[in-house]
Amino acid sequence: YITPGPDTWYKRDVEGFQWACELLGVETIVMNSQYDVGTEVSNIESMITQGVDGMAIFSFNQQGAITAADKTSQAGIPLVTIDNVGQALESEYDITAAVDFDWAGMGVNYAEYMAENYPGDKIALITGLLSHRPVQVINKAMKERVEELGENEIVAMRNGEYNPSVAVNKAQDLIQSGVEFDILWVMNEDMAAAIIRYLDGQDLLDEYTVIAQNGSPAGIPLVKEGKLDYTISSSPGWEGMVAALSLYHKVKGNADLKNEQIMLPVIPVTQDN
């Protein structure tokens, strides 16, 4: 498994993959690309040199999974891509499967939720890595649907880099800049938790509605306490597990998987559920 970086959400994806492999009696090797293209390519080549039976890659950039598809197809190694938004499926190379969430659908869902529950409110976004394809897709879909509905306005967007400390700094900068906004949408519950702690400490939390994304243990108590208004859980552990199962069945010959698009359902979360 090649993971893109140190973010906790990625770690949970790895854990799901390793958990499934442990149940199946499969040995795992995990390499971290640290958000560096050169390191990612080296990791791909290292896995091939080690003679792995199957490879999963969660790439942080648009080209990474396609590079992996190229190199693994030449080596005859089954490949599963994770959160590549199907880009490897559109390449000239065959892969086993692409495991994804419906990022565009989530963007639309957020826009519709905010229009229905907070008409007239202005929105500020603190995203994950802007170079990450799912971030681009969810941002685009949300922006387009917000404009179509005409109930809200996105007034600012900042790159939170999937880093809680960076996200807090971006939120602080937004507030101090004088940009007027009512809703703070954050693309990661670990970042959202850090921002909520900051706002709480400054007695500012009541002035904003915080909405998050991805789903993690950090989010559940915040939803219960009413500090996090709404989130959508796209479970990374489940995603890692499904990637491992897809590879396992391909390697064992249990299923003739080829260029399969596996879309995992997501779960909106409020105090009601």
Side-chain angles (χ1 to χ4, degrees):
Y1 187 114
I2 298 173
T3 186
D7 173 60
T8 51
W9 202 78
Y10 300 141
K11 290 178 182 177
R12 294 180 184 116
D13 212 297
V14 172
E15 289 167 0
F17 185 89
Q18 290 176 312
W19 177 75
C21 287
E22 184 179 348
L23 292 178
L24 295 165
V26 176
E27 180 185 352
T28 55
I29 303 167
V30 178
M31 302 185 81
N32 197 314
S33 299
Q34 301 293 339
Y35 303 133
D36 181 80
V37 173
T39 301
E40 184 175 71
V41 173
S42 295
N43 287 343
I44 295 167
E45 293 173 344
S46 174
M47 292 287 195
I48 293 171
T49 301
Q50 292 179 66
V52 297
D53 296 296
M55 186 190 305
I57 184 168
F58 192 146
S59 180
F60 62 94
N61 67 91
Q62 297 185 37
Q63 188 59 37
I66 296 173
T67 299
D70 179 7
K71 292 181 178 293
T72 54
S73 63
Q74 292 183 50
I77 295 173
L79 176 72
V80 170
T81 64
I82 299 169
D83 276 358
N84 185 238
V85 198
Q87 284 188 298
L89 294 177
E90 298 167 6
S91 73
E92 60 186 290
Y93 311 106
D94 288 333
I95 66 171
T96 296
V99 182
D100 287 296
F101 295 107
D102 185 359
W103 299 101
M106 281 189 271
V108 169
N109 179 288
Y110 283 116
E112 293 177 347
Y113 175 82
M114 290 183 286
E116 180 179 349
N117 293 277
Y118 301 101
D121 281 7
K122 295 181 178 180
I123 306 162
L125 309 179
I126 295 182
T127 73
L129 281 166
L130 287 174
S131 61
H132 193 190
R133 182 64 178 157
V135 175
Q136 296 167 3
V137 172
I138 199 169
N139 288 349
K140 180 175 183 290
M142 193 190 320
K143 181 175 181 292
E144 290 177 351
R145 187 60 177 149
V146 164
E147 290 175 353
E148 286 174 4
L149 294 170
E151 296 288 351
N152 304 98
E153 179 187 0
I154 296 174
V155 296
M157 182 171 68
R158 300 289 186 270
N159 187 353
E161 301 178 13
Y162 286 132
N163 183 315
S165 297
V166 171
V168 169
N169 289 337
K170 299 294 184 180
Q172 189 174 5
D173 290 345
L174 272 171
I175 292 167
Q176 293 176 352
S177 71
V179 175
E180 294 185 5
F181 63 95
D182 310 286
I183 299 172
L184 191 56
W185 181 91
V186 189
M187 193 175 176
N188 178 287
E189 283 179 15
D190 295 284
M191 291 194 295
I195 289 171
I196 287 170
R197 285 194 297 271
Y198 162 72
L199 293 174
D200 226 357
Q202 299 295 315
D203 293 325
L204 294 172
L205 188 56
D206 289 342
E207 296 183 23
Y208 302 100
T209 299
V210 182
I211 293 174
Q213 204 265 327
N214 276 167
S216 83
I220 296 300
L222 295 174
V223 173
K224 288 182 177 179
E225 294 167 17
K227 295 180 178 180
L228 179 60
D229 180 77
Y230 184 74
T231 188
I232 295 180
S233 175
S234 46
S235 169
W238 188 17
E239 188 174 47
M241 180 194 72
V242 170
L245 291 172
S246 301
L247 273 178
Y248 180 81
H249 287 302
K250 177 69 173 181
V251 171
K252 288 293 188 180
N254 299 337
D256 186 24
L257 297 172
K258 181 178 178 181
N259 296 324
E260 293 284 333
Q261 174 73 79
I262 301 174
M263 296 294 285
L264 301 179
V266 296
I267 306 169
V269 181
T270 66
Q271 280 192 324
D272 294 337
N273 67 353

